[in-house]
Amino acid sequence: MTTTPSGRTADTADTATEDTAPAARQWLRTPVAAWAVLGALFLTAEAVVMSRWAIAGARGFPSGAYGLGPAGRLTVGTFQALSIAGVLVSIAWPLWLCRQQRRLTIEAMLLVGYLSAFWLMPVVNYSGQVASYSKYLIATTDWGPFLPGWHGPNPATHPVPLFVGWFALAEAMLWVLPTVWALETAVRRRPNLSGPRLVLAGFSAAMVAELVLEPVMVFSGGYIYVSAVPALTLFAGHWYQIPVYATVIASLVYGLIPGLMCHYDHHHPQGAPILRGLQTLPRSARPWVATLSVVGMAQLCFLGLAVSYAVIAALGGVPSPDLPAHLR
């Protein structure tokens, strides 16, 4: 017996396969190869953009109340503290699983993947201000101008907070955890549950997480949707508006897709679908290639979210007229 890419056991035939040169070359025609290449391309582009920003535009965003009264500062400050706690919890869960299972788990790979996607956040404001962070938060200036073709808001007035922007995507795990729990519970109660019903169970759990977490972010004034389609938005026209389409997209990207990946990795011998073909590689290379593949998936998913937010707002979005000073 030997260990599969996802940490379970498999027949010794897997060992025989990985020791042959033709089998080692087969990975070039497998899903894991395509996703790993995509992950490498994303990381290369990220290194270029962030290096240019670090050399020419990196600096801290000036602190200040920006019109916030004592109650407002307390509210936004509390949200920042909750965000830090959320990041810590999101990191602790995958690390605990890695220690418990003594291997690099799919959850840890997802954490790395979503964390690495932070550089794509300015895509949301690629052609105009669609979203905004509070200027009261600890932040840096935006690196949007270093993305090719970007013409969004002025980085001198548009911050990217450390714990609500830079590290915020680690909190995707707060959507993944309840989604995985719901999927595991559904399968345990109904082992023969059909694929569509399994997807519905996962999406429902992700949507519940979204409906709990999103209002905390928006109503506290930490992050808001500046522009939204009125007919598809709750509280349309107010600074605390919440687009319904954004909640659906976020549930898919942060909850359902990574949750299904974890579920498949837990229940299928070959692991998550994007890792198919990993067995053809030497065991020492598998964690690296698998992580690259998950990075490619996570960054592509988040890019899809950012582009969809930007495009939907560009097609029919209406800017909110009552933005507080710290959110303009």
Side-chain angles (χ1 to χ4, degrees), residues 140-215:
T140 66
T141 52
D142 199 347
W143 53 86
F146 296 93
L147 295 173
W150 191 88
H151 47 286
N154 186 346
T157 60
H158 186 73
V160 180
L162 291 183
F163 303 106
V164 189
W166 280 78
F167 304 116
L169 289 181
E171 294 183 66
M173 308 312 291
L174 298 180
W175 280 258
V176 176
L177 181 56
T179 304
V180 171
W181 176 84
L183 291 171
E184 296 291 337
T185 301
V187 169
R188 187 167 58 251
R189 292 180 177 178
R190 296 189 177 183
N192 297 320
L193 192 67
S194 65
R197 291 186 177 181
L198 186 67
V199 169
L200 180 60
F203 178 74
S204 299
M207 182 60 83
V208 169
E210 168 69 9
L211 294 177
V212 170
L213 296 169
E214 186 86 356

Side-chain angles (χ1 to χ4, degrees), residues 201-268:
F203 178 74
S204 299
M207 182 60 83
V208 169
E210 168 69 9
L211 294 177
V212 170
L213 296 169
E214 186 86 356
V216 173
M217 175 179 67
V218 173
F219 292 156
S220 66
Y223 173 90
I224 64 163
Y225 298 93
V226 175
S227 181
V229 180
L232 302 175
T233 301
L234 299 175
F235 315 112
H238 299 283
W239 65 264
Y240 48 83
Q241 60 188 357
I242 301 178
V244 175
Y245 55 85
T247 65
V248 174
I249 295 169
S251 298
L252 292 172
V253 170
Y254 298 144
L256 181 62
I257 294 175
L260 286 174
M261 282 190 59
C262 293
H263 180 77
Y264 272 95
D265 192 78
H266 297 163
H267 293 278
H268 292 259

